[in-house]
């Protein structure tokens, strides 16, 4: 920031320099002065703020007298530090008698109707109201009348219960639903002493991010239904971890008690989730501590899976792997850590000498099929999550963003709400992005290429310099038959709206985000080629994003769980079988052994029938699993493995950020991390892989996979490290794309 | 050389004097208690074995707040809370302790738990005979710690409104 943007202020006599317009409370933080607050939150707008009055301070500003002398003029009334932008020369006092008396009065006032049932309040022990009262409040209250009473634990949503008696009307929760999640669910009803929080028409609160209001509520008014009465803050231990429910990689804390997960709270990481989580993550991680978790190995005996000891199970596995020779394969790894995946591929490639490895279960097969790397030089996301904030325009294509990539959705919304970005969206059906996307168009399913060709046509006319790009001749020829009207007719989007989309893309740096409607398109590669054309043509070749969806699918790719590439995308000489080919081979009894590593093809593979035939046939199936999934039920050996809470390691999120997870507790002595299972099997095959910890493995990865050279355990820290491609792609080109209406497309591959 | 007889006689005289005084005193006060046939009266603030108390109407005072566990310097209390329902009500209000355990081997009888308890549920009383044969038996469970139901208690569980009315009423 330039020097002239800084102002000098004094807080309790301590001089600090802060950017002009900073709220006084932030300036005080910088000066190391503590100002108590309830309603202030740095991520929420101040428009509906300054409700609690806890942060009152006395302020004086310099004023020039008629004779030109400068004197300090004290503001006649105390000011709320959270909503007061600092100005040059301002002096703020936080310890005057007036301020101390004000704080006492405010707290006495807030506590008039507060039930003070701390012993049974889930917030007790970590409650700002408790803390502020202890440090700044009066010892007792003069209010002897009956307090107001409301029913306790009013069910606000599936996950949130509301205690109306405890609310102090700070409006943090209402501002959250307006500023951050964008579902505008919560509002104040009635006024004065009767005021309370509810949804506008008193229906259920419907939100993908409702869990966050529990964390930002400064009292125990909004509470988690799952965590209710489960533990007090001093009962629980906490471990740093990463959410496994999607590929965004939210930083979370696992709060656990006697070896069971009690709740999940967000952990601050400005680069990823800021301080939010989605409900899938916050309330969906409880799978870790359910009674259905496998705790002993199972072996199929007389047709049924029966408990066995670890050595029995491993000896059987090893014996069958020996018999199988090279006719082995492994599917899965998208939920495992990088360390697990690295050892898995090392075990298969170096010990079993097989390249039959694949982590992909869907129809979309990145990176081989996507072509993104060939065109633009990266496999999935060109931008970091935080980059979306600075984009002028963001074009979301074929993605129900809020469900597929919740944290990306929040960033995109932030770009619109706070950074002046413009969002355009094209989807086969309306999604939650309608709230702020302008325009949001709904195209005929499968007609992505037609729509994109219409936009490209406009941009090609406006951007004559594109003619220098390699492939321009053929490309423009292939567009000859296209006009905006034709695009409009084919895609079902009006010509006027196509023009507006083109205008928005033309107006500045644009990021593209493509989602499931694109990746699961029968002709996905054509759509992706068209998006690449659009990006190259508009000068945004570095801004195409086709994020993976599973927790560590990115890491699995990086670690070489692909039939055709080893760790770090080094091509292998003899590519192995991919998921479909392995399943087909198993169904035809051409594969002797198949190892499912946290993969459940019966439930998740597009062709469940094929999966069932493959696993139910002669192939010896080993399943490393947390639960007895439909696929594990068909396996010959089921090995219990550690979940995210029970192991150390790293995950790589969709933007390629490598982040650490830490072991919180142990489930049972027979439950090991996946890497240990492969290392153990390898040892039993007399080719030991001598690793003692996930750290050892990560250090080896640092050496053997150049892309991960910087991601050493020491350097990862709290924010993680986003690994970079060695160089940006320089030979960009345009490629003709043929539009095939959906009916004419046969399923790829 | 001084006369040895005199000091010896003097010493013997002193010893005899104390001996006779002692015999006389023993007739009046009895220092040794013939435990276990006889027991000494305990001081009123003695802190020995814990008891989880009830209101007069039979509802448990403990609300499962875990404050005792937080205060305990030996970390020997485990509280797991649950929600009362109208069908099964254990304590007044929303919350009760479904599991309450004290590892009495680790307890140092400091009484902090009693001090921390907002409802006066956990108290240390006078039962000091805590020896046992098995380590596991020193894990006092809620059932072991709870006071027996008062003879005229309402039959539990009781419905919510009734329970609300009963709290405090029992105290008079
Ligand atoms: S429910 Fe909590 S966050 Fe919402 S207004 Fe009340 S105190 Fe504030
Ligand atoms: S957005 Fe994804 S990573 Fe974040 S909490 Fe939700 S499921 Fe977990
Ligand atoms: S008496 Fe002291 S050590 Fe014993 S349970 Fe109570 S707080 Fe803990
Ligand atoms: S005994 Fe008292 S302090 Fe302990 S959980 Fe019960 S009510 Fe709370
Ligand atoms: S924090 Fe400033 S008014 Fe609430």
């Amino acid at each position: 920031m330039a020097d002239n943007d800084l102002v000098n202020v004094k807080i309790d006599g301590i001089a600090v320099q802060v950017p002009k317009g900073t709220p006084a409370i932030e300036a005080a933080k910088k000066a190391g002065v503590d100002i108590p607050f309830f309603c202030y939150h740095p991520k929420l707008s101040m428009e509906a703020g300054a409700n609690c009055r806890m942060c009152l301070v006395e302020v004086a500003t310099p004023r020039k007298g008629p004779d030109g002398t400068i004197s300090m003029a004290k503001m006649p009334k105390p000011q709320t530090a959270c909503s007061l932008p600092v100005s040059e020369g301002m002096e703020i006092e936080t310890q005057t008698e007036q301020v101390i008396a004000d704080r006492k009065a405010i707290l006495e006032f807030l506590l008039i109707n507060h039930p003070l049932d701390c012993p049974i309040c889930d917030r007790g022990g970590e409650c700002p109201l408790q803390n502020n009262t202890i440090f700044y409040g009066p010892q007792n209250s003069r209010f002897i009348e009956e307090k107001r009473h409301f029913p306790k634990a009013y069910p606000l949503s599936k996950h949130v219960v509301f205690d109306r008696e405890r609310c102090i009307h700070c409006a943090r929760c209402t501002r959250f639903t307006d500023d951050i999640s964008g579902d505008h669910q919560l509002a104040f009803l009635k006024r004065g002493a009767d005021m309370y929080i509810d949804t506008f028409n008193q229906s259920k609160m419907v939100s993908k991010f409702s869990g966050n209001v529990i964390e930002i509520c400064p009292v125990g008014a909004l509470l988690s239904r799952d965590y209710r009465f489960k533990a007090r803050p001093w009962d629980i231990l906490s471990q740093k971890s990463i959410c496994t429910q999607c590929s965004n990689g939210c930083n979370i804390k696992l709060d656990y008690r006697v070896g069971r997960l009690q709740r999940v709270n967000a952990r601050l990481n400005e680069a990823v989730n800021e301080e939010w989580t989605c409900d899938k993550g916050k309330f969906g991680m409880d799978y870790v501590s359910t009674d259905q978790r496998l705790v002993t190995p199972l072996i199929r005996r007389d047709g049924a899976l029966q408990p066995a000891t670890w050595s029995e199970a491993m000896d059987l596995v090893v014996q069958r792997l020996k018999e199988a020779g090279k006719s082995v394969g492994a599917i899965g790894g998208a939920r495992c850590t990088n360390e697990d995946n690295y050892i898995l591929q090392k075990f298969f490639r170096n010990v079993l000498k097989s390249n039959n490895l694949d982590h992909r279960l869907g129809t979309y097969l990145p990176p081989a099929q996507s072509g993104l790397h060939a065109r633009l030089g990266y496999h999935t996301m060109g931008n970091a999550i935080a980059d979306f904030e600075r984009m002028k325009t963001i074009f979301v294509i074929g993605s129900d963003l809020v469900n597929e990539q919740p944290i990306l959705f929040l960033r995109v919304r932030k770009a619109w709400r706070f950074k002046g970005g413009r969002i355009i969206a094209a989807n086969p059906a309306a999604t939650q992005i309608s709230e702020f996307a302008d325009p949001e168009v709904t195209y005929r399913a499968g007609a992505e290429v037609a729509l994109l060709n219409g936009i490209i046509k406009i941009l090609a006319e406006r951007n004559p310099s594109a003619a220098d790009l390699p492939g321009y001749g053929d490309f423009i020829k292939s567009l000859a038959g296209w006009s905006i009207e034709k695009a409009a007719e084919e895609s079902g989007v009006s010509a006027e709206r196509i023009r507006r989309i083109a205008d928005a893309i033309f107006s500045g740096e644009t990021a593209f985000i493509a989602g499931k409607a694109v990746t699961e398109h029968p002709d996905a590669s054509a759509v992706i080629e068209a998006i690449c054309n659009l990006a190259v043509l508009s000068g945004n070749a570095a801004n195409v994003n086709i994020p993976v969806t599973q927790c560590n699918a990115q890491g699995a790719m990086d670690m070489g769980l692909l039939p055709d590439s080893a760790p770090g995308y080094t091509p292998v000489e003899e590519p192995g079988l991919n998921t479909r080919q392995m399943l087909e081979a198993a169904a035809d009894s051409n594969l002797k052994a198949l190892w499912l590593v946290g993969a459940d093809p019966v439930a998740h593979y597009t062709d469940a029938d094929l999966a069932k035939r493959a696993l139910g046939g002669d192939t010896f199936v080993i399943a490393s699993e947390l639960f007895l999934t439909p696929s594990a039920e068909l396996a010959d050996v089921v090995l219990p493995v550690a979940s995210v809470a029970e192991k150390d390691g790293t995950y790589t999120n969709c933007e390629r950020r490598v982040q650490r997870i830490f072991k919180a507790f142990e489930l049972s002595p027979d439950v090991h991390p996946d890497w240990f299972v492969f290392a153990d099997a390898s040892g039993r095959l007399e080719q030991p892989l001598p690793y003692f910890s996930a750290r050892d493995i990560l250090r080896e990865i640092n050496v053997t996979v150049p892309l991960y050279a910087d991601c050493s355990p020491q350097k990862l820290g709290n924010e993680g490290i986003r690994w970079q491609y060695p160089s940006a792609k320089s030979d960009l080109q345009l490629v003709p794309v043929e539009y095939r209406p959906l009916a004419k497309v046969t399923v790829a591959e | 050389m001084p006369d040895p007889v005199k000091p010896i006689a003097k010493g013997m005289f002193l010893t005899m004097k104390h001996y006779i005084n002692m015999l006389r005193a023993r007739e009046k006060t009895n220092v040794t208690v013939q435990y276990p046939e006889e027991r000494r009266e305990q001081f009123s603030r003695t802190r020995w074995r814990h008891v989880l108390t009830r209101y007069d109407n039979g509802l448990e005072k403990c609300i499962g707040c875990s404050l005792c566990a937080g205060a305990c310097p030996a970390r020997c209390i485990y509280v797991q809370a649950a929600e009362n329902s109208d069908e099964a009500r254990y304590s007044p209000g929303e919350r009760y302790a479904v599991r309450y355990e004290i590892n009495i081997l680790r307890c140092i009888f400091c009484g902090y738990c009693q001090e921390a308890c907002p409802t006066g549920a956990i108290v240390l009383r006078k039962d000091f005979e805590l020896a046992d044969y098995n380590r596991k038996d020193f894990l006092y469970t809620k059932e072991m710690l709870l006071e027996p139901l008062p003879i005229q208690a309402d039959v539990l569980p009781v419905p919510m409104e009734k329970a609300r009315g009963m709290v405090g009423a029992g105290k008079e």
Side-chain angles (χ1 to χ4, degrees), chain A residues 208-209 242-252 264 272-273 276-283 285 402-408 410 549 551 653:
Chain A
K208 298 281 183 316
F209 303 96
I242 301 292
C243 172
T244 60
Q245 299 290 70
C246 84
S247 62
N248 290 179
C250 286
N251 290 219
I252 54 170
V264 167
V272 184
N273 54 320
W276 318 120
T277 54
C278 78
D279 286 357
K280 251 192 301 179
K282 192 169 168 77
F283 303 105
M285 294 291 287
V402 72
N403 285 320
E404 291 172 23
Q405 311 284 349
I407 289 306
L408 249 55
L410 290 186
T549 50
C551 161
N653 79 350

Side-chain angles (χ1 to χ4, degrees), chain B residues 27-140:
Chain B
E27 276 162 25
K28 281 187 233 144
T29 59
N30 208 346
V31 178
T32 306
V33 175
Q34 295 305 314
Y35 179 85
E37 289 82 22
E38 287 170 23
R39 273 148 215 254
R40 196 179 266 158
E41 178 56 23
Q42 305 259 325
F43 290 111
S44 56
R45 280 161 59 188
T46 311
R47 298 191 303 259
W48 283 114
R49 186 186 184 279
H50 307 67
V51 174
L52 276 173
T53 55
R54 294 179 187 270
Y55 292 106
D56 291 351
N57 59 23
L59 280 180
E60 294 161 15
K61 284 189 184 168
C62 177
I63 51 171
C65 70
S66 228
L67 284 171
C68 48
C72 176
R75 297 298 262 157
C76 65
I77 307 184
Y78 177 86
V79 186
Q80 196 179 320
E83 189 160 5
N84 281 312
S85 65
D86 286 350
E87 292 73 46
R89 168 162 297 284
Y90 298 86
S91 69
E94 295 174 274
R95 182 173 174 143
Y96 77 100
V98 60
R99 235 175 104 186
Y100 190 104
E101 277 163 23
I102 296 182
N103 181 348
I104 213 75
L105 282 180
R106 275 167 69 178
C107 175
I108 56 169
F109 301 98
C110 62
Y112 283 9
C113 45
Q114 173 170 351
E115 216 168 296
C117 182
T119 62
I122 191 83
V123 291
L124 287 84
R125 292 216 171 130
K126 296 176 184 173
D127 176 9
F128 58 88
E129 293 155 313
L130 304 175
D132 219 323
Y133 295 99
N134 194 332
R135 265 175 186 276
K136 277 201 179 141
D137 295 337
F138 288 101
L139 278 184
Y140 288 6

Side-chain angles (χ1 to χ4, degrees), chain A residues 167 216 392 409 631 658:
Chain A
C167 173
I216 59 171
K392 193 98 192 351
F409 172 85
S631 300
V658 184

Side-chain angles (χ1 to χ4, degrees), chain A residues 37-213:
Chain A
F37 63 90
F38 292 114
C39 69
Y40 172 70
H41 192 289
K43 297 256 183 301
L44 301 177
S45 72
M46 279 320 295
E47 285 155 32
N51 304 302
C52 71
R53 323 307 286 178
M54 189 62 216
C55 60
L56 292 175
V57 289
E58 288 198 284
V59 183
T61 45
R63 198 160 299 168
K64 218 182 204 166
D67 53 353
T69 54
I70 292 179
S71 61
M72 295 305 292
K74 198 174 141 195
M75 295 193 187
K77 287 185 183 168
Q79 302 291 314
T80 48
C82 64
S83 62
L84 179 77
V86 293
S87 59
E88 179 62 38
M90 190 180 265
E91 286 181 11
I92 295 166
E93 291 295 332
T94 73
Q95 299 298 338
T96 60
E97 256 172 51
Q98 170 80 50
V99 171
I100 289 170
D102 287 347
R103 288 175 182 163
K104 280 208 167 71
I106 294 287
L107 277 165
E108 188 180 6
F109 177 67
L110 287 177
L111 293 177
I112 280 183
N113 265 320
H114 196 84
L116 283 175
D117 51 357
C118 306
I120 58 158
C121 173
D122 281 334
R123 203 76 157 120
E126 51 182 16
C127 172
L129 185 57
Q130 274 187 331
N131 296 347
N132 283 344
T133 306
I134 287 170
F135 290 117
Y136 304 103
Q139 300 296 313
N140 34 37
S141 164
R142 288 166 290 173
F143 187 79
I144 48 167
E145 290 79 5
E146 176 75 10
K147 299 194 180 205
R148 58 177 186 184
H149 286 292
F150 297 113
K152 293 274 189 186
Y154 171 75
L156 208 52
S157 80
K158 207 166 115 207
H159 302 297
V160 184
V161 291
F162 178 50
D163 187 319
R164 228 169 112 182
E165 295 179 349
R166 294 190 191 131
C167 173
I168 58 165
H169 305 142
C170 71
R172 268 189 175 189
C173 53
T174 58
R175 284 182 288 155
F176 174 84
T177 62
D178 289 341
D179 288 340
I180 309 293
S181 67
D183 39 46
H184 308 283
Q185 288 287 302
L186 298 179
F188 281 120
L189 303 191
K190 305 215 183 151
R191 287 299 177 262
D194 292 334
M195 185 152 88
Y196 66 100
I197 294 285
D198 207 335
T199 55
F200 187 64
N201 48 7
Q202 290 169 298
S203 53
K204 273 252 147 32
M205 172 184 182
V206 185
S207 171
K208 298 281 183 316
F209 303 96
S210 68
N212 295 296
V213 299

Side-chain angles (χ1 to χ4, degrees), chain A residues 499-513:
Chain A
R499 266 196 205 96
R500 280 179 61 203
I501 294 180
D503 287 345
I505 295 177
F506 199 70
S507 70
E509 188 172 12
T510 303
F512 301 85
I513 304 176

